[in-house]
Amino acid sequence: MKTADIAQRYLDYFEKNDHLIVPSASLVSDDPSLLFTVAGMVPMIPYLTGVVPAPHPRIADLQKCIRTNDIEEVGRTARHGTFFQMLGNWSFGDYFKEGAIRYAWELLTSSEADGGLGFDERDLWVTVYETDDEAEAIWRDVIGLKPERIQRLGRADNYWNTGQPGPGGPDSEIFFDRGPAYGQDGGPAADDTRFLEIWNLVFMQDFIENIRGKTEFDIVGELPMKNIDTGMGLERVAFLKQGVENMYETDQVRPVLDRASELTGRRYGADAEDDVRFRIVADHVRSSLMLLSDGVTPSNEGRGYILRRLMRRSVRAMRLLGVEEATFPALFEASRDAMKEAYPVVETDWQRLSSYAFAEEETFLRTLTAGSTILDTAVAKTKATGSETLAGDQAFLLHDTYGFPIDLTLEIAEEAGIGVDRAAFDTLMQEQRQRAKADARSRKRAIADVSVYRDFRALGETVFTGYTDLETESRVLGVLVDGVATGRASAGQIAEVILAETALYAESGGQVADRGTIVGPGYELEVLDVQRPVPGLISHTVEVTRGEVGVDQPATTIVDAANRRSAQQAHSATHLVHAALRDTLGQGATQAGSLNRAGYLRFDFTWGQALSGATRSEIEEIANNAVRDNLEVTTRVMSLDDAKAAGAMALFGEKYGSTVRMVDIGGPWSRELCGGTHVGASAEIGLISLVGESSVGASNRRVEALVGLDAFRELTAERALVAELSTSLKAPKDQLTARIAELTASLKAAEKKIAAFEARALADRVPAIAQTAQRAGSVNLVAESVGEVGSADDLRSLATSVRERLGSESAVVVLVGTAGERVLAIVATNEAARAAGAKAGNLVKVVLEHVGGRGGGRDDMAQGAGTDSAAIPAAFDGVRRALAAA
């Protein structure tokens, strides 16, 4: 039975029983305390609490959910997934316990031919809250369930609440017995792996207060209106009805898993660790697709960070499966085809969704290349010092400079057998946030009470003369220290100075404030910042470097001419880049923010996908052609209506008065409303060099460029680098690309040959290694140091082959090899050895205690890494003693 068919049967059944069928709410929760819809009941909270009247006394739905608190369990259990679907039926003051129980039981146990799910009632168990006599009686006397298949559990298992004062109530859960192959008998109370929960019926009847913990709260009364809140896990029912082992093998997930298997050339089911990685990929790709379909885009915070983490864990898992190139085009397409029947939006909006996914993978692959090299070096140095903990500042450097996620650093470090000083990392992150906040405060001064400027503004607007003059004589209207009008400031103090006129540009429109000085009789001020704290008033933040400045003194503002020239080059270049973007991409590419400072520009624009190298080159060429053509730059002050009629663009985030300043470059070719300073003609810009392009949120991209001398210096440095490479590789610069490709191909071919040789060499050793087996306790033990190996995968493959060669008689294989300075250990056990009490996970810890490392695994296969190769013989002795004592 397909997953979509199960869902439709559920909805059809409850619609037939007078339930209003409502569509799924978005994965992006309306609840400000939640990033996502983490449970099926979240959209129903307003109805359940009575804040909003329910549209019908009975409702049923299929709700999309995202939950990542158990992300480490994904792939390792049958039921943990980050994206899942909850089928629910709800009663708001209508039917209660008996109705909910009857509906659930009838749907579950009715035949498929009659529209039910066809479960055999002999496979079903239930739990009830420890004091809920009423629910137990309904199950026993009304439904006819045998008493021995009804179990009572406490608050931790069978009582629901929101974690806040308000509604709560006991619940009754329905479990499916998967059979003795999955665990011990005894019902859900004994084994929740064998007995799988498929439906939870919450009887919302109590009002609770004084919540002290999950199970510590006071039930203070009954609710005036009793509600029913149920949830049936669609993925859990699907894998039971489809006869597969877990949710990853159902029809909506398995196609991704199979595609990953094709891409890697590895068979699902052949290796336990590989299987976990395949399941991670299948789950995370589907979850990412569904998040994208609900408007979430990858970013470094909030919901976008969760999405980015899922995507990057997928990429990481595919790399561990041996694939280093991009795989998202194939994997996301497989997920789209599996999900489109239930969620058509993944097909109709495919172009947008896929562009975000593919761009994110491309970006992360570059990050992995740089970050992994640096991390590997840091790990090696950490081990060389004898430490088992990577320094927090190393993890912070990877995160802050290279965009390497801390979660990935933790995973890779753990695989290498070391930890990470997370406390130090968190401290550095907090310090960075505090610096950012302090910088924002110092630049913007975030003064809540602007009344201090009222008297100064009453004297009239500050006259800005900087469009034409770099020096302006004025007088001091006010002096403020720490936000208080003091009338004067002395040498060494930081102050705000208000002038009647100024040539210094106040930060606005993306252009940073001018640098410069203010001088007067007996004093000199260094200008740190220039802002407009209230409309019409310009305030200069200064450091008094000499003398004392006071109200009514003469003052001359002097602009740093070189800095201003570079800044206005950058601002005019921004207009050219904007025009070039629209010329190349179309009118949909509009400005969404900018920053212009001396020699540099940053331009954000609306666009949903990364720019190709060819597109970036085209934009760069169009902008530089405009520089070459020496287009005239003109400014006009006019009414807002006239400017819009002339085709001027009103830009993102800007507020305009009735009178505006319009800047033309080449007439209508670039025509924008802008209050910034500009060059007189485009040739004065000099040179524009695009140096970066990236994503900055939902449907926004960012280009960065160097301008003028800064661009020239950057290109000069690149020319020197090309010359050095040309000399080193003995190839003309126009043949460098081909030469590097040739060397890379040769290196890959050599590495492939070496890997094949090493694999053959290891395989040839299997018979000899197997012959070293000796009796240890009740098992045959192979304990062998195999010397240098390429990787842990090679060692694991060798251990598996040796174990197979030893046959069905109880056997334990302990192999230790070295990879550089690392000591790798693998322990493999066969079924007979495990039956005799030999557990690989326990034995590998014995090995690692001696060689100084960490690791773990399952009963059949476990691994880890250490640093002390001299202790290998002692490690083997430790294993022998452990087996003898078993």
Side-chain angles (χ1 to χ4, degrees):
M1 189 181 295
K2 294 173 65 176
T3 303
D5 293 338
I6 295 170
Q8 194 59 53
R9 283 172 180 262
Y10 184 99
L11 297 176
D12 288 346
Y13 172 82
F14 281 101
E15 185 173 34
K16 182 178 66 177
N17 284 283
D18 194 29
H19 286 67
L20 173 68
I21 308 302
V22 298
S24 173
S26 171
L27 288 170
V28 178
S29 174
D30 290 334
D31 187 335
S33 66
L34 297 172
L35 288 177
F36 297 117
T37 300
V38 296
M41 55 81 62
V42 169
M44 300 293 170
I45 289 176
Y47 308 146
L48 294 169
T49 57
V51 173
V52 177
H56 193 274
R58 302 179 175 197
I59 286 178
D61 68 342
L62 171 62
Q63 176 60 49
K64 301 177 291 184
C65 303
I66 284 281
R67 191 182 298 166
T68 59
N69 56 324
D70 291 329
I71 195 170
E72 300 302 331
E73 296 300 315
V74 171
R76 300 189 179 278
T77 73
R79 60 186 186 275
H80 281 97
T82 51
F83 172 82
F84 58 98
Q85 301 161 89
M86 291 300 296
L87 290 155
N89 58 285
W90 317 82
S91 166
F92 307 104
D94 191 20
Y95 61 84
F96 198 48
K97 290 183 184 180
E98 183 172 337
I101 291 172
R102 280 181 178 275
Y103 286 140
W105 190 256
E106 182 178 37
L107 178 59
L108 285 173
T109 59
S110 293
S111 69
E112 293 183 14
D114 292 332
L117 295 176
F119 282 99
D120 189 329
E121 60 184 66
R122 292 173 297 181
D123 294 327
L124 301 178
W125 289 62
V126 301
T127 60
V128 297
Y129 183 49
E130 57 190 357
T131 63
D132 196 348
D133 297 336
E134 180 185 2
E136 181 180 20
I138 295 169
W139 281 115
R140 184 186 64 241
D141 302 334
V142 178
I143 301 301
L145 193 62
K146 294 181 178 179
E148 58 266 28
R149 283 194 282 128
I150 306 170
Q151 296 182 324
R152 294 195 183 217
L153 297 175
R155 285 186 174 183
D157 297 293
N158 278 79
Y159 195 95
W160 174 90
N161 67 80
T162 64
Q164 301 293 328
D171 65 47
S172 181
E173 299 177 3
I174 305 174
F175 293 78
F176 178 83
D177 181 2
R178 303 180 72 195
Y182 295 93
Q184 62 180 319
D185 202 352
D191 190 335
D192 65 355
T193 299
R194 170 174 169 172
F195 296 88
L196 185 73
E197 179 200 340
I198 57 174
W199 205 332
N200 186 10
L201 315 174
V202 176
F203 312 128
M204 202 176 300
Q205 63 188 45
D206 302 327
F207 190 87
I208 63 172
E209 287 184 347
N210 304 322
I211 297 177
R212 303 173 294 280
K214 178 176 173 59
T215 61
E216 295 295 320
F217 52 83
D218 298 330
I219 300 174
V220 297
E222 289 191 353
L223 294 175
M225 184 177 76
K226 297 179 180 180
N227 300 322
I228 288 295
D229 158 11
T230 88
M232 185 174 82
L234 179 57
E235 280 76 13
R236 296 188 182 190
V237 173
F239 82 71
L240 294 174
K241 292 301 297 179
Q242 292 173 19
V244 295
E245 289 297 306
N246 51 61
M247 63 168 287
Y248 314 101
E249 298 176 14
T250 61
D251 61 306
Q252 287 188 345
V253 188
R254 180 64 187 250
V256 185
L257 192 153
D258 288 339
R259 193 72 184 95
S261 178
E262 292 173 14
L263 293 171
T264 62
R266 303 189 188 189
R267 182 174 62 83
Y268 178 66
D271 179 90
E273 280 302 311
D274 283 355
D275 289 352
V276 171
R277 292 164 184 156
F278 280 129
R279 292 192 288 262
I280 288 172
V281 171
D283 172 86
H284 288 7
V285 165
R286 182 172 78 141
S287 298
S288 299
L289 177 68
M290 298 310 297
L291 283 170
L292 286 166
S293 73
D294 271 355
V296 182
T297 55
S299 69
N300 286 329
E301 59 185 12
R303 299 181 179 93
Y305 173 75
I306 300 297
L307 172 58
R308 173 162 285 170
R309 185 183 182 199
L310 291 169
M311 287 182 167
R312 293 187 169 189
R313 279 174 59 89
S314 303
V315 174
R316 170 75 175 146
M318 289 299 290
R319 284 175 70 91
L320 291 173
L321 288 165
V323 182
E324 297 192 359
E325 60 269 18
T327 59
F328 277 8
L331 296 175
F332 271 79
E333 183 179 277
S335 188
R336 175 201 66 192
D337 293 344
M339 297 300 293
K340 65 185 181 183
E341 179 181 355
Y343 302 99
V345 66
V346 300
E347 183 173 40
T348 57
D349 204 14
W350 172 246
Q351 184 174 359
R352 181 184 69 84
L353 309 185
S354 60
S355 65
Y356 278 118
F358 302 166
E360 179 66 19
E361 181 181 34
E362 182 182 343
T363 300
F364 187 50
L365 287 174
R366 291 196 299 268
T367 297
L368 270 179
T369 300
S372 294
T373 301
I374 295 166
L375 180 55
D376 289 344
T377 302
V379 167
K381 289 182 178 178
T382 299
K383 290 187 171 184
T385 64
S387 173
E388 294 185 359
T389 305
L390 182 71
D393 58 353
Q394 290 287 329
F396 179 75
L397 174 69
L398 284 162
H399 168 83
D400 192 47
T401 305
Y402 299 97
F404 210 71
I406 182 61
D407 309 290
L408 191 54
T409 299
L410 292 169
E411 286 184 17
I412 295 175
E414 183 179 359
E415 290 168 4
I418 66 173
V420 176
D421 189 345
R422 184 61 188 267
F425 172 85
D426 290 340
T427 298
L428 290 168
M429 284 294 295
Q430 184 61 29
E431 289 174 357
Q432 183 191 59
R433 294 187 189 102
Q434 291 172 348
R435 284 194 301 272
K437 290 178 181 178
D439 180 64
R441 285 194 297 268
S442 67
R443 289 186 59 78
K444 305 301 181 185
R445 296 179 319 286
I447 299 171
D449 183 8
V450 295
S451 61
V452 68
Y453 300 107
R454 183 184 298 118
D455 292 341
F456 307 127
R457 182 63 182 82
L459 300 174
E461 294 190 12
T462 307
V463 177
F464 175 62
T465 64
Y467 290 132
T468 55
D469 300 321
L470 296 181
E471 288 190 21
T472 292
E473 294 183 357
S474 186
R475 65 186 181 92
V476 178
L477 299 180
V479 178
L480 297 85
V481 176
D482 294 330
V484 178
T486 60
R488 61 185 58 255
S490 303
Q493 286 188 296
I494 304 294
E496 288 184 73
V497 173
I498 313 295
L499 305 176
E501 299 89 14
T502 183
L504 291 154
Y505 182 78
E507 179 179 2
S508 63
Q511 182 175 334
V512 300
D514 274 334
R515 296 177 185 170
T517 56
I518 301 173
V519 298
Y523 71 84
E524 184 171 333
L525 316 175
E526 179 186 354
V527 177
L528 305 177
D529 193 16
V530 189
Q531 295 290 329
R532 297 178 183 269
V534 294
L537 189 72
I538 295 176
S539 170
H540 310 77
T541 299
V542 301
E543 180 180 359
V544 184
T545 55
R546 180 174 62 84
E548 182 179 85
V549 61
V551 173
D552 287 333
Q553 287 183 300
T556 300
T557 56
I558 304 171
V559 176
D560 181 328
N563 183 75
R564 163 71 79 81
R565 186 180 307 111
S566 292
Q568 62 192 29
Q569 284 176 314
H571 201 157
S572 297
T574 300
H575 284 220
L576 297 187
V577 169
H578 189 188
L581 278 163
R582 291 170 65 81
D583 192 9
T584 305
L585 303 178
Q587 301 305 300
T590 56
Q591 182 172 336
S594 66
L595 173 66
N596 314 288
R597 62 170 185 260
Y600 169 87
L601 71 86
R602 187 182 75 202
F603 186 85
D604 297 346
F605 60 101
T606 55
W607 198 248
Q609 61 189 36
L611 304 184
S612 67
T615 300
R616 288 174 55 179
S617 295
E618 183 180 358
I619 292 165
E620 188 176 54
E621 183 174 352
I622 291 171
N624 280 293
N625 284 342
V627 172
R628 177 203 61 195
D629 293 342
N630 198 25
L631 303 175
E632 183 181 13
V633 180
T634 60
T635 61
R636 288 177 283 169
V637 177
M638 59 181 66
S639 71
L640 178 60
D641 290 340
D642 288 345
K644 288 183 176 180
M649 293 188 62
L651 300 180
F652 170 86
E654 295 290 339
K655 296 180 180 179
Y656 301 99
S658 57
T659 301
V660 295
R661 183 170 180 262
M662 186 172 74
V663 178
D664 287 354
I665 304 179
W669 187 74
S670 170
R671 178 168 287 168
E672 299 186 14
L673 302 184
C674 181
T677 64
H678 289 272
V679 298
S682 62
E684 296 176 28
I685 294 171
L687 179 66
I688 302 171
S689 175
L690 293 185
V691 294
E693 192 268 342
S694 60
S695 169
V696 287
S699 301
N700 284 346
R701 305 295 300 179
R702 171 175 292 170
V703 292
E704 297 174 89
L706 296 176
V707 181
L709 278 176
D710 290 81
F712 174 76
R713 294 187 186 107
E714 187 253 353
L715 293 175
T716 300
E718 287 190 359
R719 182 176 63 190
L721 176 61
V722 169
E724 184 178 348
L725 286 172
S726 181
T727 301
S728 298
L729 299 179
K730 296 181 175 58
K733 63 181 181 181
D734 60 344
Q735 296 178 18
L736 273 178
T737 301
R739 178 61 175 150
I740 292 171
E742 178 186 331
L743 290 172
T744 302
S746 297
L747 179 60
K748 287 183 177 179
E751 289 174 343
K752 188 175 181 179
K753 287 180 180 179
I754 291 170
F757 175 78
E758 290 175 343
R760 285 197 301 271
L762 283 174
D764 291 343
R765 297 178 63 183
V766 169
I769 294 173
Q771 287 179 359
T772 66
Q774 296 180 351
R775 203 67 181 173
S778 60
V779 304
N780 291 317
L781 170 66
V782 170
E784 191 77 6
S785 179
V786 300
E788 187 73 17
V789 294
S791 68
D793 287 342
D794 294 336
L795 193 62
R796 184 169 58 249
S797 176
L798 181 60
T800 302
S801 298
V802 172
R803 180 177 62 184
E804 291 175 353
R805 190 172 185 86
L806 292 173
S808 59
E809 189 175 350
S810 62
V812 174
V813 179
V814 181
L815 299 184
V816 176
T818 56
E821 298 180 358
R822 301 173 65 203
V823 178
L824 306 178
I826 297 286
V827 178
T829 63
N830 64 12
E831 186 175 350
R834 293 192 294 275
K839 311 290 187 182
N842 295 335
L843 294 175
V844 81
K845 291 176 182 177
V846 174
V847 177
L848 296 171
E849 284 173 1
H850 288 82
V851 299
R854 296 191 305 176
R858 302 173 311 282
D859 292 347
D860 63 325
M861 180 77 73
Q863 69 183 62
T867 57
D868 187 3
S869 58
I872 293 174
F876 290 157
D877 289 340
V879 171
R880 292 187 186 98
R881 288 192 298 271
L883 290 172

